Amino acid sequence: MEDSENQNQKISKFKKPFLLKYREFVDCIGPEHFENTNDIVPAAVLLKIFKEGLLAQITSYFHVSWDYGNTNDNLQILDLLKTDSRNDTEKKWRPTGKTVEEQVRPLIVNKLKWQIKFYEKQIQFQKQQLESAIKQLEIDRKKYNDMRSQREVYQRCLMTELDDLEKIRSEIMHVDTKLVTDLAASSSSSDTK
């Protein structure tokens, strides 16, 4: 009993969550998994033996791999590095003698310059597209105006030709009526003879 208590005291804060998860995993195994063995050994006894053996196997493999990789020391070093650099704004020795913010500033400026170049290229591209669209619009507008003026010319020509046609029709009708009256007059004069 004292060995397990000493071992629990030696367990680091990094190792504890893993061991708790393994214990939870083993604890979720219930007696319903051993119901068909009741006639040989009671399920509760078999469950207890199985859980203890499984937990012992899992934790022994875990301890061996944990110790082999020196995981605890590595995690402590990482934790120390993480907490050491948190909220660190004081100047420390660096090859440049500048703070982290001062060292990163040129990178940020360079990134912003590249973004500006990209946006300038995009604006230039949009400007070219707009200029070509305006040229095409002017060409289309000129075509439209030419077609409109040509339509008006054709319309005037058509109206003139319709007027001429109407004059010709009226002359034909006049000639027809004159011909009919002349024929009627000539036939009445031949009837009187």
Side-chain angles (χ1 to χ4, degrees):
M1 243 355 197
E2 289 178 17
D3 272 346
S4 64
E5 285 178 16
N6 285 339
Q7 192 177 6
N8 284 341
Q9 288 174 355
K10 290 179 185 177
I11 294 174
S12 70
K13 65 178 181 179
F14 303 111
K15 202 174 193 181
K16 249 182 204 173
F18 289 103
L19 294 174
L20 289 173
K21 286 294 179 186
Y22 290 138
R23 184 170 294 285
E24 285 176 18
F25 170 70
V26 171
D27 286 342
C28 73
I29 300 170
E32 64 273 1
H33 295 99
F34 298 94
E35 287 176 354
N36 57 355
T37 61
N38 271 339
D39 51 345
I40 303 167
V41 179
V45 174
L46 193 57
L47 176 64
K48 183 180 175 190
I49 293 169
F50 179 76
K51 279 184 168 184
E52 287 173 359
L54 181 63
L55 188 60
Q57 283 292 98
I58 290 174
T59 53
S60 69
Y61 285 128
F62 175 69
H63 287 302
V64 168
S65 64
W66 185 271
D67 294 337
Y68 179 75
N70 204 11
T71 309
N72 197 50
D73 293 338
N74 292 334
L75 287 174
Q76 282 179 351
I77 291 169
L78 284 174
D79 195 38
L80 181 68
L81 289 173
K82 185 171 68 174
T83 56
D84 186 40
S85 64
R86 202 175 293 150
N87 298 326
D88 185 15
T89 56
E90 72 179 63
K91 278 191 177 184
K92 292 188 177 175
W93 181 87
R94 289 186 178 84
T96 59
K98 299 177 182 178
T99 63
V100 176
E101 292 82 15
E102 290 171 334
Q103 281 185 311
V104 172
R105 193 172 299 131
L107 297 174
I108 294 170
V109 169
N110 194 24
K111 177 184 170 238
L112 291 174
K113 284 181 181 178
W114 278 103
Q115 283 181 335
I116 289 170
K117 284 182 184 178
F118 172 75
Y119 288 129
E120 284 174 349
K121 284 183 181 180
Q122 287 294 91
I123 289 170
Q124 189 64 30
F125 174 73
Q126 294 295 334
K127 185 178 175 183
Q128 288 172 353
Q129 294 291 93
L130 184 63
E131 286 173 357
S132 66
I134 288 173
K135 285 179 185 175
Q136 187 62 39
L137 181 68
E138 290 299 323
I139 291 169
D140 291 344
R141 184 177 286 160
K142 188 176 181 316
K143 280 183 187 177
Y144 174 73
N145 287 335
D146 290 345
M147 287 171 61
R148 193 170 174 187
S149 61
Q150 195 173 11
R151 179 178 176 262
E152 288 174 7
V153 169
Y154 288 151
Q155 216 169 9
R156 273 190 247 119
C157 288
L158 185 65
M159 293 303 285
T160 308
E161 288 183 15
L162 284 174
D163 287 343
D164 290 345
L165 184 64
E166 196 58 42
K167 286 179 186 175
I168 292 171
R169 276 191 187 155
S170 65
E171 284 180 23
I172 289 173
M173 292 203 39
H174 179 66
V175 168
D176 280 350
T177 54
K178 192 173 182 184
L179 184 64
V180 168
T181 55
D182 284 348
L183 282 176
S186 69
S187 68
S188 61
S189 65
S190 66
D191 283 341
T192 53
K193 286 190 180 177

